Structure formats: structure tokens, C-alpha cells
């Protein structure tokens, strides 16, 4: 009996030792995995921080150059302005930075659809709602769809939760498979359109090249010296829908590279002058640019990160950062 007890005790002790070894092994493996994950996370965080610093350096350069340029030219920018639309490449420790400065004024400000009737009157009695509808039709949307897209976006931007005819408020978005609330505020980026009723991927793809989100409710000023044939749909409402997209493309192509002293000289083009001045929206045309965009990529440690910074020119012709984004997809 005593021998059996000792044998049982040895067996139990061995089992306990084996269990302890197994437990310690599992704990050790967990610790190694946790340390490895933390190390990798630190590398990613460090890499992202480095990319951000590189992008900030590009911003500082852009801000300084654009401010100097704006003061010298008093905001007058043309397609031939030195430094704009010219790809730049900077070698960096461990990678490269690619940058491109662009005039970003020629777009419809989606936030102008948040205008109240009083604000529209103070802005020169130009209806952002009608302008946007006409623009959508110029892009090939039918009238019914243009009305629905406009109303849905207006409801997204306004402060109340009362849906307008053809619009959509929280009462609609709450019924979706993944419910959410209406924005009820201005857009920060045009990509936010994807959350608005009716703005499918295909609709967004067609609209995206012509729209932007600015921190005010003004349609915008289009610089006639940086307009390109591709901007034709944007200008159809300026000319009261009396010139179709193809004709506008041809007119803009014919004057590419021409530097107009004023918007008035641009409007002397025969096709434009033939439209009665009281029908045109001349006040939306200018030879200055208020907004600029810095876009590019940072190549660092075998990773590529895109970035974007938007700048605004103030009344003193100084350029200030409006917003920045890393990993942009627009």
C-alpha cells in the first residue's frame, strides 16, 4: 500500500509539473506575441508619424511659396503661373515625397446649398439650388434625379430634421440596414456625399471632379484663366443653359493658354457675348484664385501614403491652411 501511494504521488507530481510547463509555455508564447504586436504597432506608429512630418514640411513649403506668389500677383493666377501643375519630387531619408500644387477654385461649393433665402439674396440673388440642378442636368442626369439629389443634399446640410419634398432626413437614414443620423451641418469633404441618399458610387464618380466642400456658403468664383475644357459642365448654368457642354468644351479649348486681363474680356468671346448679360451669372467669373490644393504621395519604408492639403487666400493675399488629410481617396 505504501508503495502504491508513493507511486500515485509521483504520478500526480509529474502531472502537475507537466501542466505547469504547458501553462508557462502558453504564457510565454502569449507574451512573445504581445511584445511582437506592440513592436509592430510602434513601427507603424513611428512610420506614420514620420510620414506626417514629411507632409507638414511640404505644407510649409507650399504655404510660403503660395503666399509669396499671391502677394506678387494679388491673387491673379493663370495656367502658366510658375510652380502650379508642375510635379515635384523631393528625396527624403528612406523615401521620396511627390507633390503637385494646383489651383482649386474651379469647383461648385456643395455647402452653398445650405444657403437660406436671405443668404442667397445677400450673395447676389444667385440660387445655389437652381445652379446645382442645372449643373446636374448638364452632367447628364435627368431633371427628376437632379431635383432628388439636390433636395437630399439640402436636407443633409440644413439644421432641422424636417424632410423637404424629394429630400431625406434622419427619419429615412434610421431605417437603413446600418442606420445613422442626417449630418445637419456643412460638409468637410466632398467624399461625405456618399452618405447622402441617392449618391451612389456611380453618381459620386460623375459628380466628384466638379465639386468641393468649402467652409462657407458661397457657390464660388471660377478663374477664367485656369478653366479647362473639362470644366464645361460647371459653366453651363453660368450661361443660362444656352450653351451646351460640347460647345463650351470647344470654346474653352480654343482659348487654352490665353491670359485674360479680366472676366469681362473673357465674356467678349462671341459665343458668350451673344447671351444677354442679364441671363448670365457674370459675378461668378474672375481672374483670381482663392483656393489652392497640394496633393501628392510620401514613399517611406516601402509604403506609399497619399496626402492632401487645401489652402485659402485671405484678403491680405496670405495663404492659410484650410484642412489636411493623410491617406486621401478622392
Amino acid at each position: 500500500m505504501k508503495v502504491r501511494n508513493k507511486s500515485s504521488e509521483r504520478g500526480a507530481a509529474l502531472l502537475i509539473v507537466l501542466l505547469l510547463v504547458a501553462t508557462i509555455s502558453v504564457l510565454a508564447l502569449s507574451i512573445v506575441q504581445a511584445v511582437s504586436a506592440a513592436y509592430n504597432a510602434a513601427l507603424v506608429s513611428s512610420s506614420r508619424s514620420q510620414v506626417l512630418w514629411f507632409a507638414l514640411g511640404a505644407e510649409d513649403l507650399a504655404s510660403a511659396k503660395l503666399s509669396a506668389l499671391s502677394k506678387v500677383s494679388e491673387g491673379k493666377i493663370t495656367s502658366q503661373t510658375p510652380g502650379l501643375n508642375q510635379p515635384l519630387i523631393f528625396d527624403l531619408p528612406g523615401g521620396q515625397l511627390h507633390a503637385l500644387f494646383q489651383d482649386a477654385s474651379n469647383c461648385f461649393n456643395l455647402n452653398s446649398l445650405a444657403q437660406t433665402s436671405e443668404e442667397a439674396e445677400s450673395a447676389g440673388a444667385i440660387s445655389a439650388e437652381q445652379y446645382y440642378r442645372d449643373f446636374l442636368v448638364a452632367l447628364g442626369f435627368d431633371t427628376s434625379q437632379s431635383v432628388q439629389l439636390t433636395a437630399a443634399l439640402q436636407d443633409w446640410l440644413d439644421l432641422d430634421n424636417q424632410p423637404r419634398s424629394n429630400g431625406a432626413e434622419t427619419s429615412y437614414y434610421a431605417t437603413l440596414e446600418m442606420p445613422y443620423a442626417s449630418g445637419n451641418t456643412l460638409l468637410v469633404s466632398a467624399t461625405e456625399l456618399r452618405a447622402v441618399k441617392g449618391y451612389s458610387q456611380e453618381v459620386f464618380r460623375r459628380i466628384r471632379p466638379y465639386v468641393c466642400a468649402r467652409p462657407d456658403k458661397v457657390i464660388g468664383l471660377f478663374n477664367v484663366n485656369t478653366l479647362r475644357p473639362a470644366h464645361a459642365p460647371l459653366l453651363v448654368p453660368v450661361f443660362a443653359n444656352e450653351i451646351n457642354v460640347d460647345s463650351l468644351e470647344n470654346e474653352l479649348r480654343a482659348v487654352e493658354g490665353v491670359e485674360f486681363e479680366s472676366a469681362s474680356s473673357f465674356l467678349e468671346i462671341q459665343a458668350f457675348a451673344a447671351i444677354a448679360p442679364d441671363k448670365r451669372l457674370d459675378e461668378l467669373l474672375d481672374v483670381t484664385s482663392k483656393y489652392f490644393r497640394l496633393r501628392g504621395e510620401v514613399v517611406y519604408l516601402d509604403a506609399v501614403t497619399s496626402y492632401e492639403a487645401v489652402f485659402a487666400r485671405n484678403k491680405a493675399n496670405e495663404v492659410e491652411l484650410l484642412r489636411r488629410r493623410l491617406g486621401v481617396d478622392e
Side-chain angles (χ1 to χ4, degrees):
M1 288 295 291
K2 290 181 180 179
V3 173
R4 285 179 194 166
N5 287 339
K6 288 182 179 179
S7 177
S8 298
E9 289 173 2
R10 284 198 297 270
L14 179 61
L15 180 60
I16 291 172
V17 169
L18 290 175
L19 288 173
L20 284 172
V21 170
T23 302
I24 291 172
S25 297
V26 170
L27 287 174
L29 179 60
S30 298
I31 291 170
V32 170
Q33 290 176 334
V35 170
S36 178
Y39 176 73
N40 289 332
L43 284 179
V44 171
S45 177
S46 175
S47 176
R48 185 172 178 81
S49 296
Q50 191 62 55
V51 167
L52 177 59
W53 280 112
F54 289 151
L56 290 176
E59 283 179 20
D60 289 341
L61 173 63
S63 180
K65 294 292 185 182
L66 292 173
S67 289
L69 177 63
S70 294
K71 287 179 179 179
V72 170
S73 67
E74 295 184 338
K76 293 183 179 180
I77 302 297
T78 75
S79 59
Q80 307 302 317
T81 296
L84 292 182
N85 304 311
Q86 297 173 358
L88 301 173
I89 299 178
F90 301 94
D91 289 323
L92 304 168
Q96 283 187 330
L97 185 146
H98 302 240
L100 183 68
F101 301 145
Q102 298 173 304
D103 171 24
S105 296
N106 296 326
C107 57
F108 174 84
N109 178 20
L110 296 166
N111 288 328
S112 64
L113 289 169
Q115 286 180 353
T116 62
S117 56
E118 293 78 12
E119 288 171 331
E121 289 178 6
S122 66
I126 298 177
S127 170
E129 177 182 346
Q130 189 60 54
Y131 192 102
Y132 190 58
R133 287 184 184 179
D134 291 343
F135 156 70
L136 291 175
V137 171
L139 274 183
F141 295 96
D142 61 44
T143 302
S144 174
Q145 193 173 12
S146 73
V147 169
Q148 292 171 3
L149 289 172
T150 301
L153 182 51
Q154 286 178 306
D155 273 342
W156 184 270
L157 296 171
D158 65 25
L159 300 178
D160 63 59
N161 269 308
Q162 299 300 316
R164 65 194 70 206
S165 177
N166 296 299
E169 285 284 2
T170 297
S171 56
Y172 165 78
Y173 299 109
T175 65
L176 300 179
E177 185 176 349
M178 296 183 66
Y180 53 92
S182 180
N184 296 132
T185 188
L186 299 184
L187 302 177
V188 174
S189 167
T191 55
E192 295 175 51
L193 279 178
R194 293 289 284 112
V196 181
K197 180 184 178 182
Y199 288 84
S200 65
Q201 183 175 351
E202 173 58 23
V203 169
F204 178 73
R205 184 190 65 79
R206 290 167 63 183
I207 293 173
R208 182 63 191 96
Y210 310 98
V211 299
C212 53
R214 304 301 187 215
D216 56 37
K217 300 177 184 179
V218 179
I219 290 175
L221 279 179
F222 308 133
N223 187 335
V224 299
N225 283 323
T226 57
L227 287 170
R228 295 181 176 179
H231 290 120
L234 193 62
L235 294 187
V236 169
V238 171
F239 297 107
N241 306 310
E242 294 197 13
I243 307 179
N244 62 37
V245 173
D246 291 338
S247 295
L248 267 170
E249 284 182 355
N250 291 333
E251 296 295 341
L252 293 174
R253 189 173 293 110
V255 296
E256 276 193 288
V258 175
E259 184 175 339
F260 295 97
E261 288 295 323
S262 65
S264 297
S265 57
F266 175 77
L267 291 167
E268 290 174 2
I269 294 173
Q270 186 175 358
F272 305 155
I275 300 172
D278 61 334
K279 289 186 176 181
R280 301 184 315 228
L281 300 178
D282 296 358
E283 53 268 57
L284 294 183
L285 303 177
D286 205 347
V287 292
T288 64
S289 293
K290 181 177 180 180
Y291 295 100
F292 300 89
R293 178 170 55 190
L294 171 68
R295 300 190 72 177
E297 294 177 336
V298 176
V299 181
Y300 181 67
L301 298 181
D302 298 323
V304 179
T305 304
S306 56
Y307 66 89
E308 177 191 66
V310 177
F311 301 88
R313 178 177 59 83
N314 60 28
K315 293 181 180 180
N317 286 317
E318 296 173 338
V319 174
E320 303 171 337
L321 178 68
L322 199 60
R323 69 179 178 90
R324 76 166 62 93
R325 297 181 70 190
L326 282 180
V328 295
D329 57 356
E330 50 178 306

